[in-house]
Amino acid sequence: MSTDAERTREPGSAVETVVMKFGGTSVADPDRIRHVARRLVEARERGVRVVGTVSAMGRTTDTLLELAHSVSPSPDPRELDMLLSTGERMACALVAMAVHDLGHEAVSFTGSQAGILTDAVYTRAKIREITPVRVLDALERGRIVLVAGFQGFSRDTMDVTTLGRGGTDATAVALAAALGASCEIYSDVAGVFTADPRLVPDARKLPVVSYEEMLEMAASGARVLMLRAVELARGHGVPIHARSTFSDEPGTWVQEESAAAGDGRTVRAVTHSLDDVLLTVRGLDGARLSAAAVLRAVARAHVSIDVVVSSADRDASELALSVGQEDVVAARRALAELGAVEVEETVGLGKVSVVGAGLRSQHGVAARLFRALDEHGVEVQLVSTSPIRITCLVRRDDVERGVRALHDAFSPAALAP
């Protein structure tokens, strides 16, 4: 994504600007919409310029998806983007109305009106550039600006595009980068925790997390921040303050590793997911059909892959890929286009992962992980690693038990001498 922060800092624009993103639960009903409006107004009354970006209300996106699939078993991607983009537009306009009722001027923009330009990939576009001319003009006039999240506009096709699940996070970070602003991400959780508090009641909020750790956490199931948003933040040096809409307490800062003090723990967090599908591609011969050809085909379909395991014998080889449930249809289509290839799907799976920059320098982490899972009867199907993450593919029914086992195994008490 290209931005020009210096270009946006026009004469008279030295006042601090903040981009405040609010998730779907934050605007789920009229009372919450009015609460979000009050938060925006409070920030404006502190003397800062305010840009708000909001997700669709509550389950609006899910409802629209269900409606689309009730009309068509395979909705056209272009029309699906046209449909799904309406949820954020509706929420933005409602928040702007609530701001007006509080005595402040507000204006709502669609993604295209705000100058958010994307590539031409429907349903999962990436932001290429932001030209926030109308946003800057409104800010100069003292208005609170509301920008519909999750969407943009492709010059290649002249169509509306959407950014995929969690795309409003990416909208907020990209706007912050383009405006030279700070970025606050508000949701129904108080920040980034050592594990999902719904599964681990004694999980602790982390005051600071590095970009690198947050990228691995987002990739392995943590839903506090969208993966693409963290990539944008790291690329443009935008610190993110992830915090609760319903509390004034500090949340978690996501920023450069040198500034992320950490807490001395080897494992900073345990993450999980519950919607994984394992695709095993058999009969690869290395000539007509290779593992590389399979991975290229899946990449062209914009499918995100986590665990990849290749095995081979004298006659043929196979490749196992884990993908999220939302990517299964696209993966099937990509593999079918390769021709005669045998694909086995294994469902009912999930992932448990440990993440921490300390994994680079500590020995025995994997041994402790496997021992903890084994002692709690959690069978590991496949393993994927990075320098700061270990991920285990397990049965979905074992995920909750696995998260608790790993959180206990790497707690300060368990690691004490």
Side-chain angles (χ1 to χ4, degrees):
M1 184 196 79
S2 64
T3 62
D4 190 345
E6 293 303 320
R7 174 171 48 82
T8 67
R9 295 191 180 102
E10 298 174 351
S13 66
V15 178
E16 178 190 352
T17 304
V18 61
V19 176
M20 304 168 69
K21 176 265 179 179
F22 295 91
T25 56
S26 301
V27 291
D29 56 47
D31 284 340
R32 292 188 174 188
I33 286 173
R34 286 188 284 268
H35 176 74
V36 165
R38 285 193 293 273
R39 295 209 74 141
L40 293 168
V41 167
E42 287 168 1
R44 183 71 189 96
E45 290 178 344
R46 290 196 300 270
V48 302
R49 307 194 310 177
V50 179
V51 177
T53 181
V54 297
S55 299
M57 296 174 62
R59 293 192 70 259
T60 298
T61 300
D62 290 331
T63 301
L64 291 173
L65 278 169
E66 291 165 5
L67 180 61
H69 286 281
S70 70
V71 171
S72 169
S74 182
D76 178 78
R78 179 194 181 277
E79 303 308 326
L80 193 59
D81 273 2
M82 285 287 288
L83 176 67
L84 296 182
S85 67
T86 62
E88 279 70 20
R89 297 182 187 197
M90 177 175 68
C92 252
L94 291 170
V95 173
M97 293 175 192
V99 169
H100 279 290
D101 288 345
L102 294 173
H104 282 259
E105 286 192 70
V107 60
S108 63
F109 293 131
T110 66
S112 58
Q113 288 173 329
I116 299 174
L117 306 177
T118 75
D119 61 23
V121 179
Y122 297 117
T123 75
R124 56 184 66 202
K126 290 185 178 180
I127 297 173
R128 283 180 174 172
E129 181 184 0
I130 294 186
T131 54
V133 176
R134 296 187 68 181
V135 173
L136 285 165
D137 180 67
L139 290 174
E140 289 296 324
R141 294 170 183 267
R143 294 175 174 174
I144 293 174
V145 178
L146 277 303
V147 177
F150 175 66
Q151 64 189 259
F153 176 78
S154 170
R155 282 178 173 162
D156 298 333
T157 60
M158 305 300 287
D159 285 335
V160 171
T161 54
T162 64
L163 308 179
R165 284 289 187 180
T168 306
D169 288 357
T171 302
V173 173
L175 281 168
L179 297 170
S182 59
C183 185
E184 300 179 350
I185 305 287
Y186 290 85
S187 66
D188 58 354
V189 296
V192 180
F193 283 74
T194 53
D196 188 335
R198 293 170 297 182
L199 301 187
V200 183
D202 61 345
R204 298 178 302 105
K205 183 172 65 179
L206 298 167
V208 184
V209 175
S210 71
Y211 290 131
E212 188 178 18
E213 288 172 327
M214 194 66 238
L215 283 168
E216 294 287 9
M217 291 167 67
S220 57
R223 298 189 180 274
V224 180
L225 293 172
M226 178 199 188
L227 176 62
R228 179 61 182 152
V230 185
E231 291 174 343
L232 285 170
R234 181 179 65 174
H236 294 277
V238 177
I240 300 173
H241 192 190
R243 56 193 308 194
S244 171
T245 305
F246 311 108
S247 170
D248 291 327
E249 294 182 5
T252 300
W253 282 97
V254 181
Q255 56 194 41
E256 287 289 353
E257 186 171 3
S258 58
D263 55 10
R265 296 179 64 183
T266 301
V267 171
R268 301 292 311 286
V270 179
T271 60
H272 73 282
S273 63
L274 292 167
D275 59 353
D276 295 273
V277 176
L278 185 66
L279 304 176
T280 304
V281 184
R282 296 195 172 92
L284 305 180
D285 56 17
R288 183 192 65 83
L289 189 60
S290 65
V294 171
L295 293 173
R296 282 196 299 269
V298 174
R300 283 196 299 271
H302 305 282
V303 172
S304 297
I305 302 171
D306 187 13
V307 180
V308 180
V309 177
S310 178
S311 58
D313 58 28
R314 185 175 303 175
D315 300 316
S317 60
E318 65 182 38
L319 189 69
L321 318 169
S322 77
V323 301
Q325 185 63 54
E326 71 276 7
D327 283 330
V328 170
V329 172
R332 284 178 188 152
R333 189 179 299 120
L335 294 173
E337 291 173 357
L338 292 174
V341 57
E342 180 187 350
V343 181
E344 178 185 345
E345 292 186 16
T346 306
V347 297
L349 300 174
K351 295 195 299 282
V352 291
S353 306
V354 295
V355 178
L359 267 67
R360 287 194 186 96
S361 58
Q362 294 296 321
H363 302 292
V365 175
R368 180 180 287 270
L369 178 148
F370 287 114
R371 182 168 63 249
L373 294 179
D374 183 61
E375 288 174 351
H376 288 79
V378 178
E379 182 182 351
V380 177
Q381 310 282 323
L382 288 175
V383 178
S384 174
T385 65
S386 82
I388 66 168
R389 172 171 62 96
I390 302 174
T391 292
C392 298
L393 198 67
V394 302
R395 290 189 298 269
R396 186 178 301 159
D397 292 344
D398 290 339
V399 167
E400 185 171 339
R401 189 163 65 253
V403 169
R404 289 174 176 161
L406 293 179
H407 195 268
D408 288 344
F410 291 98
S411 68
L415 294 176

